[in-house]
Amino acid sequence: MYYVTNMQREHSMATVQLGPLIGNTEKKNIMEEIRHYAADIISLQEVETDQYHSFLKPELERDGYQGIFSPKSRAKTMSESDRKYVDGCAIFYRVAKFSLVSDRLIEFNQLAMANAEGSDDMLNRVMTKDNIGLAAILETNEAAWSNGFPADSKQIHQPLVVCTAHIHWDPEYCDVKLIQTMMLMHELKQFMLESGRNLRKSLDPSTTSFLLCGDLNSLPESGVYDFLTENRILMNHPDFKDFGYKSCLQKVSHSHKNSEYTHAFKLASAYTTDIMPFTNYTYDFKGMIDYIFYSRASMHPLGLLGGIDTEWFRENKILGCPHPHIPSDHFPLLVEFEMDSSNQSGINNSLIIPRR
C-alpha cells in the first residue's frame, strides 16, 4: 500500500504563505510535516513558482522525490520578476517506486475559449478565471512490489494516473466551479486515451487506477461533488444558474443525453464530513473543500488521517489558522491505498507499498 497526501500551502486569509511572506520557521514546519507523513505521492496546490524552484523541489529531491509543476495561466503574461510570485500546482512522487511516463497541464481559460460555441457566459464568466489542473501518468517500479512480483514480470510496470487541481474560489461562481470540473474530467479522459495509444496500453478511465487530489473550493452538497461522485449532473442543476452553457457543455460530456452531462470515471471520495468536518479552517470560513477522489474499480483505501479534534480548537480558543501549531489554514489529507492490478491486467495480485 502507498500513501497519497494532499496539502495546500498558501494562506490567502493570513500573513503566512509559501511565498515572499513566509519565514524560515514556517518553511521548516511545513517541510517537517511533509516528511513526517512520508507519502510516496504528494499533491500540492497554491505553491508559488519561486518557492517551488528554490525550496520545495531541492528539499524533496534530497528525500528521493521528483516533481512536476506549473503556475496558473496568468504567468504567461507577466514579466519574469513578477512571474515567480504566481502560484500553481505540483505533484511529487518517490522515484524508487514510480517513474513518470507523461504529464499534462490543463488550463481552464484556454478550454473555455475553445469550447465557447458563441456563449457569452462561457467567455465572460469561465474564460476569465485562470485556474489549472496538472496530471501525471506514473508507472510502478520493482521496488513498489514488496508483496511479491506479479506472475507475469511484464506487468510490474502498472499505470497510475494522478491529478492535482485548484478550482475557482468565489462562492458566487458555483457555475464556474462546476464547469471547470467538467472540463477537467473531459481533458483527463482525453489525456489517458491519447497516452494509451502512444504507449500501446489500455488506459480506460473507468478501470485504470486514478487519483484526483485537489482544492475544489466546493462543499460536499455542491454540484462539483455530485458530478464527481455520481459521474453525472442534470443540465438544469441549480449550480449552472440558468446561464447559457448547454450547447458548449455537450462537447465536454462523456455521453450526449439531452437531460444530463456525464464523465467517464467511476470515483469515490476517501474523505467525508463524518471523518473530517472541515479541511479549511479560517476566521470566517470552516468547511470541507479539499478532497482525494480515487478509482472505485481498482483502488481501495485502507486507512486515512483524521481531522483535528474540534474540542481542541475550542479549549485553546483558536478561531482560525494558520496557528503556531498548525502551519496552514488547509489541513493535510493522507490516505493509505491498495491498488488492485487485477482490474487492469488480469493479475490476481495487489500492489502493496508498506508504511515506512
Side-chain angles (χ1 to χ4, degrees):
M1 66 201 68
Y2 59 90
Y3 306 84
V4 180
T5 185
N6 173 30
M7 301 182 187
Q8 288 70 37
R9 284 295 172 260
E10 181 185 62
H11 318 298
S12 57
M13 304 299 295
T15 58
V16 181
Q17 61 179 338
L18 262 182
L21 299 180
I22 196 167
N24 290 330
T25 299
E26 286 79 15
K27 286 201 290 189
K28 178 182 176 183
N29 290 343
I30 287 171
M31 190 53 61
E32 283 181 353
E33 186 176 40
I34 291 174
R35 286 174 170 146
H36 171 73
Y37 294 126
D40 291 324
I41 298 170
I42 303 168
S43 167
L44 300 159
Q45 301 85 40
E46 299 188 277
V47 176
E48 283 194 357
T49 299
D50 183 62
Q51 288 295 336
Y52 172 81
H53 291 290
S54 66
F55 175 58
L56 282 171
K57 186 173 183 285
E59 287 290 323
L60 288 172
E61 282 183 349
R62 280 194 287 271
D63 291 346
Y65 293 93
Q66 288 290 329
I68 59 173
F69 169 82
S70 181
K72 287 180 178 176
S73 303
R74 75 182 76 140
K76 297 177 181 178
T77 66
M78 303 174 77
S79 66
E80 186 173 350
S81 59
D82 292 333
R83 193 180 305 145
K84 63 183 180 180
Y85 300 120
V86 178
D87 68 282
C89 294
I91 297 171
F92 287 93
Y93 56 93
R94 196 177 294 280
V95 294
K97 297 180 179 180
F98 297 97
S99 298
L100 178 65
V101 176
S102 182
D103 61 81
R104 172 78 59 92
L105 169 64
I106 299 167
E107 296 180 281
F108 298 129
N109 61 355
Q110 298 299 311
L111 292 172
M113 188 187 307
N115 292 286
E117 295 287 314
S119 168
D120 289 340
D121 294 321
M122 182 69 94
L123 293 173
N124 294 331
R125 290 181 67 83
V126 184
M127 192 194 72
T128 54
K129 312 300 186 293
D130 71 338
N131 303 83
I132 63 169
L134 185 62
I137 298 176
L138 305 177
E139 277 191 345
T140 56
N141 296 329
E142 288 188 7
W145 295 93
S146 59
N147 197 40
F149 291 129
D152 183 353
S153 61
K154 294 180 181 178
Q155 301 298 336
I156 288 173
H157 303 293
Q158 290 293 323
L160 171 64
V161 181
V162 180
C163 177
T164 181
H166 184 204
I167 300 301
H168 184 61
W169 68 272
D170 193 340
E172 295 300 316
Y173 285 80
C174 56
D175 55 319
V176 173
K177 300 171 196 271
L178 181 51
I179 291 169
Q180 286 182 341
T181 305
M182 292 173 65
M183 294 190 297
L184 174 68
M185 302 315 292
H186 179 262
E187 285 301 301
L188 287 169
K189 180 189 76 170
Q190 297 300 112
F191 173 48
M192 291 172 67
L193 295 178
E194 291 169 11
S195 299
R197 286 192 293 268
N198 294 336
L199 298 169
R200 297 182 179 179
K201 290 185 176 182
S202 173
L203 292 178
D204 184 343
S206 67
T207 57
T208 301
S209 292
F210 171 79
L211 292 166
L212 170 59
C213 308
D215 177 356
L216 304 186
N217 278 308
S218 302
L219 295 166
E221 56 267 26
S222 66
V224 167
Y225 187 89
D226 288 346
F227 179 68
L228 290 172
T229 55
E230 302 295 331
N231 76 291
R232 64 188 70 248
I233 193 90
L234 292 176
M235 287 184 177
N236 62 356
H237 192 282
D239 279 10
F240 288 121
K241 293 191 163 187
D242 294 323
F243 287 113
Y245 295 124
K246 286 189 177 180
S247 61
C248 46
L249 290 183
Q250 287 177 334
K251 294 177 65 176
V252 298
S253 178
H254 182 58
S255 68
H256 298 287
K257 295 182 179 180
N258 294 324
S259 60
E260 63 183 15
Y261 306 112
T262 65
H263 65 77
F265 298 77
K266 296 178 181 178
L267 303 178
S269 175
Y271 277 85
T272 65
T273 52
D274 292 337
I275 299 168
M276 186 176 281
F278 37 77
T279 63
N280 184 218
Y281 193 89
T282 69
Y283 292 93
D284 57 1
F285 174 81
K286 297 166 180 63
M288 173 176 279
I289 58 174
D290 308 292
Y291 302 91
I292 296 178
F293 291 94
Y294 64 93
S295 173
R296 298 196 308 261
S298 56
M299 303 192 73
H300 313 287
L302 301 179
L304 48 77
L305 179 69
I308 301 172
D309 188 354
T310 54
E311 192 61 34
W312 182 82
F313 287 104
R314 283 193 290 268
E315 289 176 355
N316 291 278
K317 300 180 180 180
I318 298 172
L319 302 179
C321 294
H323 179 270
H325 297 299
I326 304 173
S328 174
D329 62 329
H330 288 261
F331 300 153
L333 306 183
L334 180 73
V335 184
E336 187 176 0
F337 283 106
E338 178 182 78
M339 190 171 98
D340 184 2
S341 62
S342 63
N343 282 295
Q344 303 181 68
S345 56
I347 304 169
N348 294 317
N349 198 355
S350 295
L351 172 61
I352 305 273
I353 302 180
R355 184 185 298 273
R356 283 169 298 278

